[in-house]
């Protein structure tokens, strides 16, 4: 007797469809798909072949939701932040190796942080990894009372109980950038800052401290900026309209630096001939051949590893509180990752 036809287009195949095609019970298909004992090798192969023929794929999310645990880590990120995109990509790999899956929720122009987080809570996420959160400390404390929370790229002073911080040493990164520019002979170094964005205050402080250490305190210039290419372009117009020009600029991040570079190019200003420019993050845009941006790299792999480890350590401690060493592993409240200067084509001797 020929097997039943494949599932018609437009409908997702189910366990019942696989059972009908393989000529076995739905319960037996469930046993095969869960990988547990109870089916012979021949039956297992027949069921798997039937599943392949009709395009059946197990719904792992539904299976997790039916269990007591979801093994989901919720990640809040900003959709316009290239650095966040790089970080999410790495978080996927690290979480999977730890036996967890990610649920993503974006912050966008029409979608607030609160909406993004509420969506993740609705997905029954077991922990939250918040990339560059701007929520008040009180809100973070409320979330931490519900589930493990990891704040990435935002320093919390004072510390918020229950919230683990993973961040780059932003002040050190700014210092490395200034040291590099000074070594090239630059003295008039301007900083386009990130306003109230996470990490902005630390980068501002690192810039000021480095300039002071080099005896250039009287040449400190901080220009209001932001996180986007438009912020960099706006800053470029302010710089070009003023005199004297600086010979070098440290931008808050790579996106801001890219906007600055575009505006300088349109104005006929040579980089690095007339201006040297340094970004921050080493996002994928900085590595594009036509950008070739000198920048301060954040260690994406290490940040992702520490963020997932902090979240899962809390979860494991809750699941097995008597495990040896578990409590000690979760008492640390902050991990600070060292930055690294990456020299490319946008900086040169003055």
């Amino acid at each position: 007797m020929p097997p039943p036809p494949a599932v018609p287009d437009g409908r997702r195949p189910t366990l019942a469809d696989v059972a009908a095609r393989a000529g076995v019970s739905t319960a037996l298909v469930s046993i095969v798909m869960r990988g547990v004992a109870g089916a012979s090798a021949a039956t297992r192969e027949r069921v798997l072949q039937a599943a392949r023929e009709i395009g059946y794929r197990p719904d792992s999310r539904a299976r997790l939701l039916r269990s007591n645990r979801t093994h989901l880590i919720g990640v809040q990120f900003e959709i316009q932040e290239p650095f966040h995109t790089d970080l999410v990509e790495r978080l996927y790999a690290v979480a999977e190796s730890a036996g967890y899956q990610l649920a993503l929720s974006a912050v966008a122009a029409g979608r607030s942080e609160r909406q993004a987080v509420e969506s993740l809570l609705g997905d029954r996420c077991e922990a939250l990894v918040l990339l560059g959160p701007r929520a008040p400390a009180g809100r973070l404390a409320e979330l931490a009372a519900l589930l493990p929370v990891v704040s990435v790229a935002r320093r919390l002073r004072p510390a918020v109980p229950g919230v683990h911080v993973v961040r780059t040493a932003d002040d050190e990164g700014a210092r490395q950038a200034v040291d590099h520019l000074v070594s090239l002979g630059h003295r008039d170094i301007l900083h386009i800052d990130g306003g109230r964005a996470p990490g902005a205050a630390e980068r501002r402080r690192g810039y000021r401290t480095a300039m002071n250490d080099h005896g250039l305190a009287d040449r400190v210039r901080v220009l209001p900026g932001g996180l986007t290419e438009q912020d960099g372009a706006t800053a470029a117009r302010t710089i070009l309209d003023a005199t004297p020009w600086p010979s070098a600029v440290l931008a808050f991040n790579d996106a801001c630096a890219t906007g600055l570079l575009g505006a300088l190019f349109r104005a006929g200003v040579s980089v690095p001939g007339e201006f040297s420019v340094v970004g921050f993050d080493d996002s994928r845009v900085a590595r594009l051949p036509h950008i070739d941006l000198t920048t301060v790299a954040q260690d994406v792999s290490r940040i992702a590893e520490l963020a997932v480890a902090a979240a899962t350590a809390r979860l494991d401690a809750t699941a097995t509180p008597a495990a040896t060493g578990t409590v000690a592993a979760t008492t640390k409240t902050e991990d600070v990752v060292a930055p690294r200067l990456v020299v490319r084509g946008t900086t040169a001797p003055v």
Side-chain angles (χ1 to χ4, degrees):
M1 181 176 180
V7 176
D9 292 341
R11 182 166 72 80
R12 179 170 181 164
T14 66
L15 284 178
D17 295 320
V18 178
R21 190 164 183 84
V24 299
S25 68
T26 302
L28 192 55
V29 173
S30 177
I31 287 173
V32 172
M33 292 304 169
R34 287 185 288 119
V36 299
S40 67
T43 299
R44 189 177 300 276
E45 178 54 36
R46 188 163 78 252
V47 168
L48 293 176
Q49 178 62 30
R52 287 191 291 268
E53 289 172 354
I54 67 174
Y56 172 81
R57 297 183 63 185
D59 189 342
S60 58
R61 178 70 62 88
R63 176 173 52 81
L64 288 171
L65 289 175
R66 286 193 298 269
S67 67
N68 291 329
R69 294 188 61 184
T70 65
H71 282 80
L72 282 177
I73 296 176
V75 179
Q76 170 203 290
F77 69 104
E78 292 202 21
I79 202 166
Q80 292 185 324
E81 258 285 358
F83 174 65
H84 288 188
T85 304
D86 291 348
L87 195 49
V88 165
E89 184 176 343
R90 185 58 190 153
L91 282 168
Y92 266 116
V94 176
E96 184 175 355
S97 67
Y100 288 81
Q101 297 181 27
L102 297 188
L104 302 183
S105 192
V107 178
R111 195 166 192 258
S112 68
E113 279 194 10
R114 181 173 286 273
Q115 288 174 301
V117 169
E118 290 298 329
S119 174
L120 295 173
L121 295 178
D123 284 341
R124 287 184 58 199
C125 292
E126 293 190 333
L128 295 178
V129 175
L130 310 178
L131 307 188
R134 305 196 193 198
R139 171 60 175 165
L140 296 179
E142 290 175 5
L143 293 173
L146 299 174
L147 73 177
V149 175
V150 180
S151 170
V152 175
R154 175 183 171 185
R155 186 180 191 181
L156 295 175
R157 288 290 183 271
V160 176
V163 179
H164 190 97
V165 172
V166 179
R167 65 180 181 88
T168 295
D170 292 289
D171 51 351
E172 168 63 16
R175 186 194 66 75
Q176 290 181 17
V178 171
D179 288 349
H180 168 63
L181 292 169
V182 170
S183 73
L184 295 174
H186 295 279
R187 297 297 179 268
D188 293 309
I189 303 169
L190 178 144
H191 176 46
I192 303 174
D193 86 344
R196 301 182 67 181
E202 289 74 29
R203 295 177 196 182
R204 209 161 36 236
R205 182 174 63 248
Y207 160 77
R208 290 182 182 277
T209 300
M211 291 290 284
N212 184 65
D213 290 345
H214 287 289
L216 303 173
D218 59 331
R219 304 199 189 193
V220 168
R221 294 172 63 188
V222 177
L223 183 66
L227 290 77
T228 69
E229 292 186 17
Q230 183 57 52
D231 292 321
T234 300
R237 289 192 289 272
T238 301
I239 293 170
L240 295 175
D241 287 344
T243 54
W245 286 358
S247 66
V249 176
L250 167 61
F252 170 71
N253 65 5
D254 292 342
C256 181
T258 302
L260 172 68
L261 290 173
L264 294 177
F265 175 78
R266 290 189 293 273
V269 177
S270 171
V271 176
E274 296 174 83
F275 274 92
S276 281
V277 176
V278 181
F280 206 111
D281 290 341
D282 195 28
S283 59
R284 63 187 64 196
V285 68
R287 302 189 291 270
L288 293 173
H290 68 284
I291 302 295
D292 198 32
L293 179 67
T294 294
T295 185
V296 178
Q298 300 200 61
D299 191 337
V300 169
S301 292
R302 185 61 178 155
I303 291 171
E305 290 167 2
L306 289 170
V308 171
T312 57
R314 284 275 309 279
L315 292 172
D316 293 343
T318 302
T320 54
T324 304
T326 300
V327 174
T330 61
T331 56
K332 189 176 182 182
T333 61
E334 184 179 66
D335 289 299
V336 182
V337 180
R340 175 177 58 88
L341 182 72
V342 179
V343 179
R344 295 194 179 97
T346 57
T347 52
V350 63

